[in-house]
Amino acid sequence: MSEDQLIAQLRKIVGKRHVLTGARRTQRFRKGFRSGEGDALAVVQPAKLLEQWQVLQACVAADKIVIMQAANTGLTEGSTPKGTYDREVVLINTRRMDDIQLIKDGKQVISFPGSTLFKLEKLLAPIGHQPHSVIGSSCIGASVVGGVCNNSGGSLVERGPSYTELSVYAQITEAGELQLVNHLGIDLGATPEEILTNLQSGNFTAEDIHDDNRRASDTDYARRVRDVDANSPARFNADKSRLYEAAGCAGKLAVFAVRLDTYAKNDAEKTFYVAASDTAALGTLRRRILKDFKTLPVSAEYLHEDVFDLSDFYGKDTMVMIDKLGTDRLPTFFALKGTVDARLQNVPGLTHFTDKFMQFAASLWPNVVPKRMRAFRKAYPHHLILKMRDGGIDEARALLTEMTSNGALDFFECDDREAKMAGLLRFAAAGAAVRYMNVHSAEVEDIIALDIALRRNDEDWFETLPKEIDEQLVSKLYYGHFMCHVLHQDYIVKKGCDPKALKAAMLDLLDQRGAEYPAEHNVGHLYPAKPGLAKFYKSLDPTNSLNPGIGKMSRNKHYS
């Protein structure tokens, strides 16, 4: 089958307007949220599960590479093409398939490939439930299925990585045959057409839903995170115990739906803003909370002073938009931004126009970070946004009061406005680093973005870089999920320095510390897959036709 014949067939399946070709029309799908870009024969946007199956059939028959993509918010280039391949690439963007079905009175959900955390959170709110993650910790419009496929951990301390053993997915066998696997635990029919049509329409009853030993969440995480004396991380991407079919597959399967647990909303929540002059005080606070408290925190987000400042200035427009507009419109806004950037990329003087314009507009807006937070920023370098629930509120209040009286740290209890803006300041961190790079492209070579999982017993958790590395950086940005000991470490590299050499040196230092990486964003094209993870990928995709090259593995057919 020729390329023209394949494109004609894809247009027949999904409609002409939903098959994009040409470098300009496809760029925002081929270019990663933070970095990474490659070529694609076409970008296809199916609207129904059966259309996705038919697109896959056509691509497999034509011997094309398939890359699955939802919101394209990944931070490790794992949902876009990269480099050269031995076959043409077809990118399937799933955002039009965003249905979510409530089952078991809302105690579980079935999420389709393009459904977002925003939509799921909104759907569950009227029945008093929450999804595994709320708002996401790093990006706008993150997808539910993407979280499962990429081991996303999120900020919520008790819930662990997004995980399920219940899914419907397509797999290419060793013989090159496409097969559909229904492990959703629901009777939906025998053929792919029956299964996907019945699932799409919700044509099944409560009696068709089965419960067995397969889990719809990581039910053991609370115990693991409390084990603060363990000489291993609480969660990380290559953890073999959290790799199961769709969970952790990183696009080596074409996932149609996942079945996940939901969580009852807490009766009461209170956010404490904590700050300290040294890292030891926060380390002591972490150990005492995890070992002694009856109730674990909802979240505990660490911010170093440099991240505070960067988010405050370069993330202000993100904070204002979420604060004023809510989250519903933001995915559309950022898709429009991507389209405009693609059109202006090669126009002299207009590269990164939207970032520069939005930064200028934000500079005219009044400060949005609350006064008490700003006062703490002037006094302390290390900050913790600690959210407690129910009985844990009094536990935290007592411990923080004790440690403040001893001079170890300081804190205040946030009102509703302060709690909201503290959360948005933390949320804006990852995007703020990208904004800084785009606005100051003449001074910045690149960003090195690492997400690392420290050992649970690490007391010396804050990094000190050697002088020869430090002097090559514009800034070092440290933030993350403190109770889980998962840190995001972004390094803004000076113009003219070598990011690859710097990253290699940094990873050597992390190896010496016993850290695992990446922690929660999949290896993508930025990290080598460790042997166990590479073996898992090969078992899912023996012909190497789905998302080849991730984990710095072979891009060629059959991994040759």
Side-chain angles (χ1 to χ4, degrees), residues 49 52-53 56-57 110 164-174 177-196 199 214 244-247 249 252-259 539-542 546:
L49 301 179
Q52 177 171 308
W53 172 254
L56 286 167
Q57 285 181 308
I110 299 170
T164 186
E165 296 168 1
L166 299 158
S167 63
V168 175
Y169 60 86
Q171 183 174 31
I172 301 173
T173 68
E174 179 72 47
E177 297 176 354
L178 184 70
Q179 63 179 16
L180 187 75
V181 179
N182 177 14
H183 285 171
L184 203 61
I186 302 176
D187 292 335
L188 294 166
T191 68
E193 290 74 18
E194 289 175 337
I195 292 169
L196 297 175
L199 179 57
R214 287 179 295 169
Y244 187 94
E245 297 179 351
C249 74
K252 302 300 283 183
L253 299 172
V255 180
F256 289 80
V258 295
R259 177 175 160 188
S539 71
L540 299 180
D541 180 26
L546 292 165

Side-chain angles (χ1 to χ4, degrees), residues 60 118 124 137 205 219 367 380 403 424 466 510 540 550:
V60 171
F118 292 142
L124 292 173
S137 63
T205 66
T219 55
N367 290 329
Y380 302 102
M403 295 185 71
L424 291 181
L510 291 173
L540 299 180
I550 59 165

Side-chain angles (χ1 to χ4, degrees), residues 43-220:
V43 174
V44 187
Q45 300 171 302
K48 295 182 179 181
L49 301 179
L50 185 57
E51 289 180 0
Q52 177 171 308
W53 172 254
Q54 292 167 340
V55 168
L56 286 167
Q57 285 181 308
C59 292
V60 171
D63 195 25
K64 303 302 181 187
I65 286 169
V66 172
I67 296 177
M68 303 297 299
Q69 179 191 88
N72 192 18
T73 55
L75 302 182
T76 59
E77 306 177 0
S79 57
T80 54
K82 179 69 176 287
T84 58
Y85 302 87
D86 62 349
R87 293 149 289 168
E88 293 285 348
V89 173
V90 174
L91 197 158
I92 300 178
N93 182 277
T94 63
R95 285 299 299 273
R96 296 178 69 208
M97 298 177 291
D98 64 348
D99 291 354
I100 301 172
Q101 299 170 350
L102 301 183
I103 61 173
K104 302 179 72 172
D105 299 320
K107 294 177 182 177
Q108 290 187 335
V109 297
I110 299 170
S111 290
F112 286 15
S115 59
T116 64
L117 286 172
F118 292 142
K119 183 171 183 176
L120 179 55
E121 190 174 357
K122 188 174 182 181
L123 182 66
L124 292 173
I127 62 172
H129 273 240
Q130 293 178 324
H132 167 271
S133 300
V134 291
I135 202 171
S137 63
S138 58
C139 44
I140 299 292
S143 70
V144 178
V145 170
V148 172
C149 295
N150 296 323
N151 301 101
S152 297
S155 62
L156 302 181
V157 176
E158 296 174 287
R159 299 180 191 174
S162 185
Y163 179 78
T164 186
E165 296 168 1
L166 299 158
S167 63
V168 175
Y169 60 86
Q171 183 174 31
I172 301 173
T173 68
E174 179 72 47
E177 297 176 354
L178 184 70
Q179 63 179 16
L180 187 75
V181 179
N182 177 14
H183 285 171
L184 203 61
I186 302 176
D187 292 335
L188 294 166
T191 68
E193 290 74 18
E194 289 175 337
I195 292 169
L196 297 175
T197 300
N198 287 331
L199 179 57
Q200 182 86 54
S201 62
N203 185 27
F204 55 88
T205 66
E207 288 71 30
D208 294 321
I209 303 173
H210 306 294
D211 291 312
D212 52 27
N213 293 326
R214 287 179 295 169
R215 294 175 295 167
S217 63
D218 184 356
T219 55
D220 188 48

Side-chain angles (χ1 to χ4, degrees), residues 32-36 74-75 429-431 433-434 437 446-450 479 490:
F33 172 72
R34 176 176 274 171
S35 64
L75 302 182
V434 177
M437 179 176 68
D446 203 352
I447 293 176
I448 301 172
L450 305 179
Y479 55 104
D490 295 348

Side-chain angles (χ1 to χ4, degrees), residues 427-441:
F427 175 79
V434 177
R435 169 66 57 77
Y436 182 94
M437 179 176 68
N438 290 342
V439 171
H440 299 280
S441 56

